[in-house]
Amino acid sequence: MNRILVIRGGAIGDFILTLPALKALRDARPQAHMEILGYKHIAVLAEERFYAQAVRSIEYGPLARFFARNSELPAELTDYFASFDLIVSYLYDPDRIFETNLRRCGVQNLICGAARIVENAGHAARQLARPIEQLGINVVDFAERIFPSIEDREFAREFLASVPPPIIAIHPGSGSHEKNWPLENWIGSFSPDSRFADLERLVVISGEADKAQTDQLEREWKNREVRFARNLPLPRLAAVLERSIFIGHDSGISHLAAAAGANCILLFGPTDPDVWAPRNDNVQILRPPGGRLDHLQIETVEAAFAGVLCA
């Protein structure tokens, strides 16, 4: 097992939920050369950051032939896949077309894990660990961890140079309206008479899916000192979040914050935290009865924040 390839697509949260399994694999095979085939802007979180020596894009055009039956496979990729002693694939492959084509390359040791999480089958990280356990590796630690590089942390120091500690980072989006705390609650939480009134400590995290919420907050707080972190590369964003108090929803960015080591207060609504929430000790979950986030009171979030400050 000198060369190992892990194939992992999915969104940010899906990838980070797989990291406990990959850490167990890395700990068990510290000398192995490990690569990840995935969405490069996400998998870069692992590249030369403990987990993998290299990352390759799953969006590479010729790779499409591996998803077609009886296709002519590119020699370059055939040689690439055959060069690995072990391949662990998390791709959704119900007809086993991709698996069949990998075996046509001469791949001998191939383990295929479940690409989709089953709600009643335990925590997502637990389900994602099963392929690694087929190798005889016992996965016991399901905390998510990311290891920013020296360059990532240098960027964070410069980005946060004017922000006094303790840094408060918020992510008001999630990609799903039902999983979001109402925006007026975020605005109310940071009103001048609230516990969060000192906005010079505030960093608002924003990606493409959060543009509407972020634009509204920027208009609301245009005359107050608020730092907006828009579309930062994920390794740099992880370093920015590393020493913060983070408040967010069930989202990939919340998994990123937890894995980076932030003190997280995560607001869960319709999704089950017993399946989807990070299993880290630095994470506190707030979920209203019935899972309706519009029923979660501002005072509840403020109290949790005060508890983190006093810890």
Side-chain angles (χ1 to χ4, degrees):
M1 302 297 177
N2 293 321
R3 286 177 53 82
I4 300 173
L5 175 67
V6 176
I7 305 174
R8 182 59 168 129
I12 298 169
D14 301 319
F15 184 82
I16 296 175
L17 278 162
T18 315
L19 291 182
L22 299 191
K23 185 174 187 302
L25 177 59
R26 169 52 78 200
D27 288 342
R29 303 286 189 272
Q31 304 304 319
H33 175 88
M34 189 181 298
E35 296 191 17
I36 296 175
L37 177 64
Y39 294 109
K40 193 155 188 180
H41 71 286
I42 299 174
V44 69
L45 287 165
E47 187 175 26
E48 295 296 343
R49 294 170 176 87
F50 176 76
Y51 293 97
Q53 283 88 348
V55 164
R56 188 164 182 154
S57 176
I58 203 169
E59 298 175 291
Y60 180 56
L63 190 61
R65 297 186 192 177
F66 279 79
F67 296 92
R69 283 188 205 279
N70 304 317
S71 63
E72 183 179 347
L73 302 178
E76 169 210 356
L77 289 174
T78 297
D79 293 342
Y80 174 72
F81 288 125
S83 73
F84 290 97
D85 303 307
L86 169 68
I87 296 179
V88 180
S89 175
Y90 287 97
L91 288 186
Y92 182 63
D93 186 27
D95 298 321
R96 304 180 72 174
I97 296 172
F98 185 79
E99 177 186 346
T100 298
N101 285 330
L102 282 185
R103 296 196 185 279
R104 288 173 59 198
C105 297
V107 173
Q108 298 296 318
N109 294 313
L110 173 62
I111 297 176
C112 297
R116 298 186 173 181
I117 300 303
V118 179
E119 285 285 339
N120 60 354
H123 192 271
R126 167 76 267 171
Q127 296 183 49
L128 292 166
R130 287 171 187 150
I132 305 305
E133 293 183 330
Q134 290 183 43
L135 297 167
I137 298 170
N138 193 19
V139 184
V140 295
D141 184 1
F142 294 100
E144 303 162 1
R145 292 185 178 86
I146 287 170
F147 303 93
S149 68
I150 293 172
E151 292 76 15
D152 299 332
R153 289 185 169 122
E154 180 58 34
F155 170 84
R157 278 193 293 272
E158 294 177 5
F159 185 84
L160 298 171
S162 62
V163 183
I167 295 163
I168 306 168
I170 67 171
H171 179 227
S174 71
S176 170
H177 176 74
E178 291 74 17
K179 295 196 293 184
N180 292 347
W181 203 32
L183 196 63
E184 57 267 25
N185 287 3
W186 289 103
I187 294 170
S189 295
F190 292 92
S191 64
D193 57 348
S194 75
R195 290 179 183 268
F196 307 119
D198 191 1
L199 290 195
E200 65 178 0
R201 305 180 189 278
L202 183 63
V203 178
V204 180
I205 309 302
S206 172
E208 291 182 3
D210 316 310
K211 187 177 186 304
Q213 294 100 320
T214 307
D215 287 349
Q216 186 171 339
L217 291 179
E218 202 162 28
R219 290 191 297 270
E220 188 75 25
W221 295 332
K222 63 182 179 181
N223 296 320
R224 303 173 72 182
E225 295 183 16
V226 178
R227 193 71 189 268
F228 285 82
R230 290 181 178 269
N231 301 314
L232 292 182
L234 294 177
R236 290 186 170 186
L237 180 56
V240 167
L241 294 171
E242 191 172 15
R243 301 187 185 282
S244 71
I245 299 172
F246 175 86
I247 309 173
H249 304 125
D250 175 16
S251 73
I253 298 302
S254 292
H255 283 278
L256 185 74
N263 285 311
C264 297
I265 300 169
L266 303 187
L267 318 180
F268 265 69
T271 51
D272 185 353
D274 289 336
V275 176
W276 297 108
R279 295 285 293 271
N280 298 47
D281 291 339
N282 53 307
V283 170
Q284 177 182 173
I285 304 297
L286 300 182
R287 191 185 192 212
R292 287 191 52 178
L293 276 173
D294 56 349
H295 290 173
L296 181 62
Q297 301 298 311
I298 292 175
E299 293 77 12
T300 303
V301 179
E302 288 183 341
F305 175 77
V308 172
L309 279 182
C310 296

